[in-house]
Amino acid sequence: MMKIDVLSIFPEMFSGVLGHSILKKAEEKQAVSYQVVNFRDFADNRHQTVDDYPYGGGAGMVLKPQPIFDAVENLVQKAEGKKPRVVLMCPQGERYTQKKAEELSQEEHLIFICGHYEGYDERIREHLITDEISIGDYVLTGGELGAMVVIDSVVRLLPGVLGSEESHIQDSFSTGLLEHPHYTRPADFRGMKVPDVLVSGNHRLIEEWRKKESLRRTHLRRPDLLEEIELPSDMKKLLAEIRNQSE
């Protein structure tokens, strides 16, 4: 079972996300356990202050190292098994990808640190964390929403969580490409019809159509992804056909 701990001064934000849908079912299946800790409880002052003015001046407040160090050390001491990955949610971090989600899903214990205010004391970055993650090139009011995104993307990859073990294998980005289009009943909705190949029953042609449409969608929407992967010869041929059709 994976163990996920979250450090936040707003732990109530997580109840709706972790307590519903796939994330809740994953915990019920004992694929994962969650704990959200208010690191304000670890502050060593009677007012439970977790931030202070930055040395050298400047706008905003900075999260102090002591409460976060003590909170993480407490969780590590209580945990059994391997040393956890300690993930700092921060817009300066590594941009999050499906590859990173797959990497984190192999861990036994993850600790997420959600910050607020102007930023973190640099000693947290230098001496406490193992990973620093950003979910995009923009700034949020805190790390909670980012942590929820990462947790959701990791937990759905755990064995037995999704209804079909093949679901996440075919996801966009898992193969390096965007996923092909999907259709369901009715076959004709207000004159908008499902492609004939999908109702043909010919599985070879269906698979070829899906490959080609995955390539087409990636070529049109995220051509940068095609520069990062080595396609097999049959898919290179399909991509050449798509590019010729686009000209």
Side-chain angles (χ1 to χ4, degrees):
M1 178 192 297
M2 173 181 280
K3 180 176 178 57
I4 294 179
D5 291 313
V6 182
L7 300 183
S8 169
I9 55 175
F10 298 105
E12 60 277 6
M13 289 181 66
F14 287 85
S15 59
V17 173
L18 301 181
H20 291 86
S21 189
I22 297 297
L23 296 186
K24 180 182 180 182
K25 291 178 181 178
E27 187 171 35
E28 291 173 345
K29 292 178 178 179
Q30 298 186 333
V32 64
S33 67
Y34 309 112
Q35 179 180 210
V36 185
V37 175
N38 190 336
F39 62 84
R40 194 182 293 279
D41 295 338
F42 290 84
D44 63 358
N45 60 85
R46 66 190 185 96
H47 297 294
Q48 293 187 305
T49 304
V50 297
D51 61 311
D52 208 337
Y53 295 103
Y55 279 118
M61 305 291 280
V62 176
L63 284 171
K64 300 168 65 175
Q66 178 273 316
I68 294 177
F69 266 80
D70 283 4
V72 170
E73 288 166 357
N74 179 265
L75 292 171
V76 172
Q77 186 177 8
K78 290 179 178 178
E80 298 178 358
K82 294 194 308 182
K83 186 177 179 180
R85 294 277 284 270
V86 182
V87 180
L88 191 75
M89 301 305 305
C90 179
Q92 297 180 21
E94 168 191 356
R95 187 183 291 185
Y96 194 56
T97 64
Q98 184 68 20
K99 183 178 179 181
K100 188 71 172 183
E102 292 167 357
E103 177 188 328
L104 293 177
S105 72
Q106 302 302 310
E107 297 293 327
E108 294 178 4
H109 187 189
L110 300 175
I111 298 176
F112 292 89
I113 302 174
C114 306
H116 273 265
Y117 312 116
E118 185 63 23
Y120 304 94
D121 184 291
E122 190 66 17
R123 288 165 290 190
I124 295 170
R125 283 192 175 91
E126 293 176 344
H127 302 289
L128 188 62
I129 68 165
T130 60
D131 301 85
E132 190 171 352
I133 288 177
S134 167
I135 62 168
D137 295 341
Y138 48 87
V139 180
L140 301 171
T141 56
E144 284 79 10
L145 293 175
M148 293 175 197
V149 168
V150 176
I151 291 169
D152 183 282
S153 64
V154 168
V155 170
R156 66 187 299 278
L157 297 176
L158 299 179
V161 169
L162 296 181
S164 170
E165 291 300 314
E166 295 183 358
S167 294
H168 68 79
I169 297 173
Q170 298 176 356
D171 286 340
S172 292
F173 305 110
S174 289
T175 62
L177 303 173
L178 300 184
E179 195 173 8
H180 57 77
H182 292 277
Y183 297 86
T184 188
R185 300 176 192 178
D188 186 335
F189 175 67
R190 298 181 182 179
M192 297 175 281
K193 297 181 179 181
V194 172
D196 291 339
V197 65
L198 296 181
V199 295
S200 68
N202 188 320
H203 296 294
R204 184 185 62 80
L205 291 179
I206 290 171
E207 183 61 26
E208 184 174 331
W209 179 89
R210 286 175 171 169
K211 282 183 180 179
K212 191 169 185 177
E213 293 308 308
S214 177
L215 282 167
R216 188 191 311 279
R217 180 159 287 187
T218 306
H219 169 66
L220 293 174
R221 300 185 181 187
R222 291 291 305 276
D224 57 297
L225 295 177
L226 294 171
E227 299 173 4
E228 300 174 5
I229 59 174
E230 180 63 31
L231 294 171
S233 57
D234 62 325
M235 295 190 75
K236 286 181 179 179
K237 183 178 179 181
L238 289 174
L239 181 59
E241 292 177 10
I242 291 167
R243 284 173 169 162
N244 288 335
Q245 293 168 2
S246 300
E247 293 175 356

